[in-house]
C-alpha cells in the first residue's frame, strides 16, 4: 500500500463542513467539549466498509453545496443523508464505496432525506491530532469548519475493492424514525406526574435552532422545577429551562449547565436526532436502566 500524502481540496462549501472522529473523551473536567461525529451509525458504517480503524476521521457535511477535488487516488465511502451526488459530473448513489482517481471531483447537492452527510476515506483523514482527536472545534483546533481553498490530507492508495457479487445496501428508513429512546435524567423525578406523562405521550417539533451544539424543540413545557447549581452535562443531555424550553445537547455542547437535566439520549438516539430537519416531529420513549 502506498502511504504518500494526498490532499482533498475544498472548492466550494456551505457552512458546517468539518473533519470529525469519535471526539475527545477524557477532557470534560478541563472544560473541553467532546466534539466528534453527530451520527455514530453512519460513521461506523463508512469505516466498516473501508476496513478502517473504528476511530478513523471522516468529513461531516451539515448542508448541501460541497464541491471537493482529490489530487491522488484513494477509496472513499458515502453515507448519512440521502443526497444528490455527482462524480465528475455524473450522478452516483449517495452511499457505499467509490473508487477515486487523481483529480476526481465530487459534488454534494440537495439532501432528499436526512440532515448530515458523511465522506469516509481509506485510513481516515490525516488532520492534526489535538488531545487524542482529529475532530475540529474552534478554539481547540486551528480551524472549526472548512472554507474554500482548504486542503485536507489523506494517505493515497491504489487499492481497488475486491469484486463480490453481493451489493451493499444502506437503509435510510431509520432516519425517519419518530420515536427517540431516552433515559430519565438526574432531575426527572422532580417533575410532577402530569408533566412526566406529557413528555412520554406528546409529539415534539424540531425548531430552527439546530446545530452541532444543541437542538431546541418548539413546544414549551411549563414547569415549576427549582433552580439548581451548575452540574455536569454531556452530549445527549436534555435540559428544561424555567421558561419551558427543551434543549438537547449535541456533540459540541458545553460540559456544565444550570438547567435541570430531565432526560438523556445515548449515541443511537443522537444519530436519529442528528438526521432530523427543522419541523420534523419526534416522540420520547422512556427506558429505565436495570
Amino acid at each position: 500500500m502506498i502511504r504518500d500524502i494526498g490532499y482533498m481540496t475544498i472548492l466550494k462549501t456551505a457552512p458546517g463542513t468539518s473533519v470529525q472522529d469519535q471526539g475527545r473523551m477524557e477532557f470534560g473536567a478541563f472544560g473541553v467539549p467532546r466534539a466528534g461525529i453527530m451520527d455514530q451509525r453512519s460513521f461506523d458504517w463508512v469505516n466498516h466498509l473501508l476496513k478502517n480503524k473504528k476511530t478513523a476521521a471522516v468529513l461531516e457535511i451539515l448542508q448541501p453545496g460541497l464541491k471537493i477535488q482529490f489530487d491522488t487516488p484513494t477509496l472513499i465511502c458515502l453515507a448519512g443523508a440521502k443526497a444528490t451526488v455527482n462524480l465528475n459530473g455524473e450522478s452516483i448513489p449517495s452511499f457505499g464505496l467509490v473508487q477515486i482517481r487523481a483529480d476526481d471531483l465530487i459534488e454534494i447537492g440537495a439532501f432528499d432525506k436526512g440532515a448530515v452527510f458523511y465522506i469516509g476515506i481509506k485510513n481516515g483523514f490525516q488532520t492534526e491530532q489535538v488531545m487524542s482527536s482529529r475532530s475540529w472545534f474552534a478554539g481547540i483546533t486551528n480551524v472549526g469548519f472548512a472554507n474554500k481553498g482548504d486542503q485536507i490530507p489523506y494517505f493515497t492508495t491504489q487499492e481497488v475493492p475486491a469484486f463480490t457479487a453481493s451489493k451493499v445496501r444502506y437503509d435510510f428508513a431509520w432516519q425517519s424514525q419518530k420515536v427517540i429512546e431516552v433515559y430519565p435524567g438526574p432531575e426527572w423525578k422532580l417533575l410532577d406526574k402530569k408533566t412526566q406523562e406529557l413528555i412520554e405521550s406528546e409529539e415534539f417539533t424540531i425548531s430552527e435552532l439546530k446545530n452541532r451544539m444543541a437542538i431546541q424543540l418548539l413546544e414549551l413545557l411549563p414547569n415549576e422545577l427549582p433552580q439548581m447549581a451548575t452540574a455536569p452535562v454531556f452530549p445527549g443531555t436534555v435540559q428544561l429551562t424555567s421558561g419551558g424550553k427543551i434543549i438537547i445537547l449535541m456533540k459540541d455542547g458545553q460540559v456544565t449547565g444550570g438547567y435541570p437535566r430531565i432526560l438523556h439520549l445515548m449515541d443511537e438516539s443522537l444519530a436519529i436526532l442528528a438526521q432530523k430537519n427543522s419541523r420534523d416531529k419526534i416522540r420520547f420513549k422512556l427506558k429505565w436502566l436495570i
Side-chain angles (χ1 to χ4, degrees):
M1 180 183 294
I2 300 172
R3 302 287 285 189
D4 293 334
I5 286 287
Y7 289 92
M8 182 189 73
T9 301
I10 306 291
L11 301 179
K12 176 185 175 184
T13 184
T17 299
S18 62
V19 173
Q20 300 291 338
D21 57 17
Q22 293 277 34
R24 298 173 177 84
M25 303 292 192
E26 302 175 358
F27 299 94
F30 304 100
V32 178
R34 176 177 168 179
I37 36 86
M38 298 262 278
D39 175 358
Q40 183 75 43
R41 185 166 181 162
S42 297
F43 174 78
D44 289 341
W45 197 79
V46 296
N47 280 328
H48 174 71
L49 287 188
L50 288 164
K51 299 181 181 180
N52 284 346
K53 292 181 179 179
K54 292 182 178 181
T55 56
V58 302
L59 194 70
E60 181 179 88
I61 301 103
L62 301 186
Q63 296 185 50
L66 179 73
K67 185 175 182 180
I68 52 180
Q69 184 170 36
F70 299 84
D71 68 356
T72 56
T74 187
L75 181 66
I76 65 172
C77 187
L78 311 177
K82 186 175 183 180
T84 300
V85 181
N86 288 328
L87 170 63
N88 299 324
E90 299 292 328
S91 178
I92 62 171
S94 63
F95 60 91
L97 297 171
V98 181
Q99 189 71 37
I100 295 294
R101 295 172 175 80
D103 299 323
D104 273 355
L105 288 166
I106 290 276
E107 295 179 78
I108 311 299
F111 291 1
D112 300 317
K113 179 183 291 185
V116 188
F117 190 81
Y118 289 94
I119 300 177
I121 196 165
K122 188 66 178 177
N123 300 308
F125 287 103
Q126 300 299 307
T127 53
E128 180 186 15
Q129 280 192 315
V130 180
M131 298 181 179
S132 304
S133 172
R134 301 187 194 276
S135 290
W136 289 359
F137 186 92
I140 301 297
T141 53
N142 291 328
V143 61
F145 294 104
N147 294 294
K148 181 179 178 180
D150 287 350
Q151 292 189 311
I152 301 174
Y154 60 89
F155 288 129
T156 186
T157 175
Q158 304 282 353
E159 180 180 344
V160 176
F163 173 78
T164 172
S166 62
K167 293 183 178 180
V168 175
R169 291 186 178 181
Y170 186 80
D171 182 9
F172 291 98
W174 64 272
Q175 297 180 5
S176 301
Q177 188 173 321
K178 273 190 177 183
V179 176
I180 305 291
E181 292 187 339
V182 296
Y183 292 92
E187 284 72 57
W188 169 258
K189 292 183 178 180
L190 298 180
L191 293 167
D192 60 69
K193 188 68 175 176
K194 183 179 179 181
T195 303
Q196 290 179 350
E197 291 174 351
L198 188 67
I199 291 171
E200 293 187 76
S201 63
E202 295 297 311
E203 283 191 346
F204 295 92
T205 311
I206 306 295
S207 77
E208 298 287 340
L209 301 175
K210 176 182 185 292
N211 53 43
R212 283 190 49 87
M213 290 191 68
I215 294 175
Q216 186 171 308
L217 305 183
L218 274 180
E219 292 77 11
L220 297 179
L221 199 63
N223 66 92
E224 297 181 359
L225 291 178
Q227 291 185 340
M228 56 176 281
T230 297
V233 293
F234 306 89
T237 295
V238 181
Q239 297 178 306
L240 180 61
T241 73
S242 58
K245 294 178 181 178
I246 303 172
I247 301 169
I248 306 170
L249 299 183
M250 301 303 282
K251 292 299 181 72
D252 283 358
Q254 71 271 17
V255 299
T256 61
Y259 296 127
R261 304 155 297 175
I262 59 171
L263 299 168
H264 191 82
L265 285 67
M266 304 305 286
D267 277 347
E268 182 67 18
S269 294
L270 277 176
I272 296 171
L273 192 64
Q275 292 294 352
K276 299 299 182 188
N277 289 294
S278 299
R279 302 295 172 176
D280 283 350
K281 304 283 188 179
I282 62 169
R283 297 180 67 126
F284 293 121
K285 181 181 179 181
L286 203 64
K287 297 187 69 175
W288 295 88
L289 293 171
I290 299 176

